[in-house]
Amino acid sequence: MRILLLGEYSRLHNTLKEGLLVLGHEVILVGSGDGFKNYPADYSIEAKWCQSKLLNIPRQLIFKLSKFDVAKIEIGIRFYLLSHKLKGFDVVQLINESPIQTLKWAERLLLKKIIKNNKKLFVLATGVDYLNVKYWFENQKEKSILQPYFNNPSLEKEFRYILEYRTKKHKKIHDFVYQHCYGIIATDVDYLLPLKGNTKFLGLIPNPVNFNKLEFQELRITNKIVIFLGINKWSYHQKGIEYFEKALTIIKKKFGDKVEIIITQNIPYLEYINLYNQSHIVLDQLHGHDQGYNALEAMAKGKVVFTNASTLFEKQYNLTEKVVINALPDVDYLVNELSSLIDNPDEIIAIGKHAKAFIEKEHDYLKIAEEYLEIWDN
């Protein structure tokens, strides 16, 4: 089978590709690298001209004055120039309903070209899309990355790219993709509720994790307990980073030399991974029900991860043991959970082992690739 994967905002499509290749399929991945994360792709549509020294300054000036990023134009041009190579695939899967991230009208035209020149189209419900944002606005007490905005609308600047999914221009893209796709696949529990009862919903397939590439080293605590927090300034409030920062300040005062705290901001994926390798505890995010990709990879390495792990998540996987710490927007709660682990290091080691076993059972990239193939075939 020839498979085209469009877009990458985590490691999802890269890992799915690895599984599909092992199973003997031909796979091409197209992506922009998603900014500083620099995710790999077979064909890159990264806006390299706009990032050059010559053009970046006027690009920033235009954005400051108009809130328009001219890099969207370059991305659209690069995709158009590449489109003659994106023909004859049995399956095209979009990372979300707007995977190219160019101008709205151009996005629709380019996707129309892709649909015309290939067979089946599928779209993932992962991250932000029209249906998710619509559901979150209609259910503002539901856990979601928009909760900080609902509580404090002055944060609109950080949430601007999410709010765009409510505009009429974006809804045209959503309606077009929805009309032409064979179905929508959810990638974790957070996207089940917005899709409940939707006739195009094909079910949940968990994020694939290639744990063969993620070296597991059983946690050993000989001196300090190392806590890692990786910050993406563009999603600072969405992930609840301020709660983690306040909790860490208290933990440092309380435990002193018993802990080492590593904090990074906006670093490439590979550098990020290398830094958190030495940690025992990873602080991820807290405004949701299920884990994101960074959390899953950390769990595969046997880390204790503070992240989304609500009762909906526990019920989905019928969990009887703790594989992750359910992080909540409550500083006292976070301090108590961290303190309990620091005072009981054996618990850190036990949870790390449970986390690894959970990933191997539920997120095996080969098993997940087979689930995608079954849905695509049927």
Side-chain angles (χ1 to χ4, degrees), residues 161-178:
Y161 88 93
I162 298 177
L163 300 178
E164 280 187 11
Y165 283 81
R166 302 184 75 210
T167 63
K168 291 181 179 179
K169 288 182 179 180
H170 178 79
K171 190 171 186 302
K172 287 183 179 179
I173 296 174
H174 163 76
D175 291 342
F176 176 77
V177 171
Y178 188 88

Side-chain angles (χ1 to χ4, degrees), residues 110-268:
L110 292 170
L111 288 175
K112 184 176 182 180
K113 193 177 181 71
I114 290 294
I115 291 166
K116 179 182 177 182
N117 292 323
N118 298 283
K119 295 181 182 176
K120 295 181 180 180
L121 178 75
F122 296 85
V123 60
L124 296 184
T126 184
V128 182
D129 62 30
Y130 172 77
L131 292 175
N132 291 340
V133 175
K134 180 176 182 290
Y135 177 83
W136 294 334
F137 265 86
E138 292 172 351
N139 301 271
Q140 295 190 13
K141 292 184 179 180
E142 181 67 53
K143 291 191 77 174
S144 79
I145 58 174
L146 276 173
Q147 277 190 323
Y149 171 75
F150 295 143
N151 295 332
N152 183 7
S154 68
L155 296 174
E156 182 178 353
K157 183 178 179 181
E158 180 181 320
F159 290 83
R160 184 184 295 119
Y161 88 93
I162 298 177
L163 300 178
E164 280 187 11
Y165 283 81
R166 302 184 75 210
T167 63
K168 291 181 179 179
K169 288 182 179 180
H170 178 79
K171 190 171 186 302
K172 287 183 179 179
I173 296 174
H174 163 76
D175 291 342
F176 176 77
V177 171
Y178 188 88
Q179 178 185 352
H180 289 90
C181 74
Y182 275 66
I184 304 169
I185 301 167
T187 61
D188 70 40
V189 173
D190 286 284
Y191 311 116
L192 289 180
L193 296 176
L195 288 167
K196 189 175 181 180
N198 191 302
T199 56
K200 291 245 178 174
F201 180 43
L202 300 176
L204 184 152
I205 302 181
N207 285 301
V209 177
N210 185 352
F211 42 81
N212 296 321
K213 284 191 166 186
L214 301 168
E215 182 181 358
F216 172 78
Q217 294 181 340
E218 185 173 334
L219 296 179
R220 290 182 174 84
I221 301 171
T222 56
N223 188 10
K224 297 181 179 182
I225 291 174
V226 182
I227 305 172
F228 178 85
L229 173 62
I231 299 173
N232 176 351
K233 70 177 183 179
W234 308 113
S235 57
Y236 181 88
H237 292 96
Q238 296 166 37
K239 296 198 172 191
I241 299 300
E242 69 272 27
Y243 295 98
F244 289 133
E245 288 181 320
K246 290 174 183 176
L248 288 178
T249 299
I250 296 170
I251 289 294
K252 187 61 180 176
K253 289 180 180 177
K254 183 176 180 179
F255 291 98
D257 291 340
K258 286 185 69 176
V259 298
E260 178 183 348
I261 296 171
I262 300 172
I263 299 177
T264 68
Q265 180 168 301
N266 288 28
I267 58 174

Side-chain angles (χ1 to χ4, degrees), residues 96-114:
N96 77 354
E97 60 199 17
S98 184
I100 305 168
Q101 292 289 294
T102 183
L103 304 175
K104 301 291 185 185
W105 62 268
E107 184 97 25
R108 213 164 58 251
L109 289 178
L110 292 170
L111 288 175
K112 184 176 182 180
K113 193 177 181 71
I114 290 294

Side-chain angles (χ1 to χ4, degrees), residues 284-299:
D284 182 47
Q285 58 181 308
L286 45 71
H287 289 303
H289 293 289
D290 203 342
Q291 299 90 61
Y293 217 88
N294 285 342
L296 295 175
E297 291 196 329
M299 291 166 69

Side-chain angles (χ1 to χ4, degrees), residues 341-363:
L341 291 171
I342 294 166
D343 288 331
N344 300 278
D346 288 345
E347 187 70 7
I348 295 176
I349 294 170
I351 294 173
K353 289 180 179 177
H354 295 160
K356 179 177 181 290
F358 169 76
I359 297 298
E360 291 179 350
K361 179 185 177 185
E362 304 291 352
H363 294 272

